[in-house]
Amino acid sequence: MSGPRPVVLSGPSGAGKSTLMKRLMKEHEGVFGFSVSHTTRNPRPGEEDGKDYHFTTREAMLEGIENGDFIENAEFSGNLYGTSKAAIEDVQAQNLICILDVDIQGVRRIKETDLNPIYISIQPPSMEILEKRLRDRQTETEESLQKRLEAARIDMELSKEPGVFDVVIINDDLERAYEELKEILNEEIKKVQEAQS
Ligand SMILES: Nc1nc2c(ncn2[C@@H]2O[C@H](COP(=O)(O)OP(=O)(O)O)[C@@H](O)[C@H]2O)c(=O)[nH]1
Ligand SMILES: Nc1ncnc2c1ncn2[C@@H]1O[C@H](COP(=O)(O)OP(=O)(O)O)[C@@H](O)[C@H]1O
């Protein structure tokens, strides 16, 4: 595949992936493009269809999967999520660094493709802090919160396995975590900026 190397951001729900990614994209306008996933979960207040996610139904998504429209898909906390081929192609056609936000199942599936991204895991400092951040975010019901915490325990274990991720960033202090992320991506960012100048 041509163009800059994509970036996969993974890690438990509530670890800070969206926060870090949004900041990265804002501070590097015209460098990154987000791979907009499909999901069957309901939009949260402020989320935009086609920007944060393509919000869809299980029926439509299963049909798309059947048609081979997705490079990967997974069930997470009772909903379907997936990366369409078009989502990645849209970004790569513009020669931008494609950022994917996927769970650990997605990481596994992407490893079977020829996408060749940089794999970054964003981890919370502890389960206790993760739970607090998720509660404070006020986006989840008690049931979906518990499912996310259960998935987080599995994610935290798997992310320790050698070779799964290129880098693991502990998102304790936001500024420090952000600097670390920028440092890792510095080379790719420069390549895109040079190609544009
Ligand atoms: N496999 C896969 N996981 C995804 C995709 N899009 C989002 N996810 C993951 O689904 C999980 C839940 O995402 P979301 O409902 O937005 O909750 P949040 O991560 O707590 O903001 C997170 O771990 C995401 O990384 C996708 O296209 N494929
Ligand atoms: N380093 C940090 N310190 C304190 N709060 C944070 C930090 N990083 C993220 N948060 C907050 O934690 C919550 C979860 O972050 P979010 O980016 O939504 O996680 P994710 O996208 O991984 O689910 C948000 O309310 C966010 O503002």
Side-chain angles (χ1 to χ4, degrees):
M1 242 172 243
S2 62
R5 245 182 118 185
V7 175
V8 164
L9 283 188
S10 195
S13 163
K17 300 179 296 294
S18 311
T19 305
L20 288 163
M21 187 177 70
K22 284 185 178 157
R23 183 157 166 196
L24 191 68
M25 293 185 76
K26 203 172 160 198
E27 284 188 14
H28 301 83
E29 226 175 286
V31 172
F32 294 96
F34 181 49
S35 159
V36 182
S37 292
H38 282 62
T39 183
T40 62
R41 84 151 160 76
N42 291 324
R44 294 173 187 152
E47 282 185 332
E48 270 179 56
D49 188 33
K51 187 167 172 264
D52 298 284
Y53 279 107
H54 297 291
F55 294 100
T56 182
T57 61
R58 184 170 284 263
E59 199 183 12
M61 201 159 155
L62 288 174
E63 199 180 309
I65 294 166
E66 189 73 16
N67 281 343
D69 298 345
F70 288 83
I71 71 155
E72 64 82 31
N73 61 272
E75 183 98 23
F76 182 91
S77 184
N79 285 296
L80 276 178
Y81 293 81
T83 308
S84 70
K85 292 175 181 166
I88 292 181
E89 283 163 9
D90 279 355
V91 177
Q92 293 196 322
Q94 302 172 69
N95 267 312
L96 302 175
I97 302 174
C98 182
I99 306 193
L100 296 90
D101 175 345
V102 299
D103 79 330
I104 194 83
Q105 304 170 78
V107 168
R108 292 228 159 102
R109 293 290 302 277
I110 290 168
K111 291 205 170 195
E112 294 163 5
T113 71
D114 63 357
L115 195 69
N116 189 31
I118 302 169
Y119 292 95
I120 303 175
S121 174
I122 308 294
Q123 290 290 326
S126 67
M127 271 307 282
E128 291 68 31
I129 292 175
L130 181 71
E131 179 166 352
K132 181 173 186 312
R133 286 185 190 165
L134 270 177
R135 286 193 187 278
D136 289 351
R137 194 173 70 181
Q138 297 187 326
T139 52
E140 307 309 316
T141 61
E142 187 60 29
E143 191 194 359
S144 75
L145 190 121
Q146 291 304 331
K147 283 188 184 163
R148 280 169 155 73
L149 292 177
E150 193 45 48
R153 283 187 194 97
I154 299 169
D155 185 294
M156 286 163 91
E157 277 310 305
L158 293 178
S159 68
K160 288 183 202 150
E161 278 180 23
V164 180
F165 290 97
D166 296 305
V167 198
V168 178
I169 298 177
I170 311 287
N171 179 20
D172 189 346
D173 176 67
L174 187 63
E175 293 306 315
R176 216 218 64 253
Y178 181 65
E179 288 307 316
E180 217 176 303
L181 180 63
K182 259 199 317 196
E183 180 63 32
I184 294 154
L185 301 177
N186 196 22
E187 214 176 297
E188 289 299 316
I189 293 172
K190 270 204 226 142
K191 273 192 219 162
V192 172
Q193 287 171 336
E194 275 161 21
Q196 289 171 350
S197 62

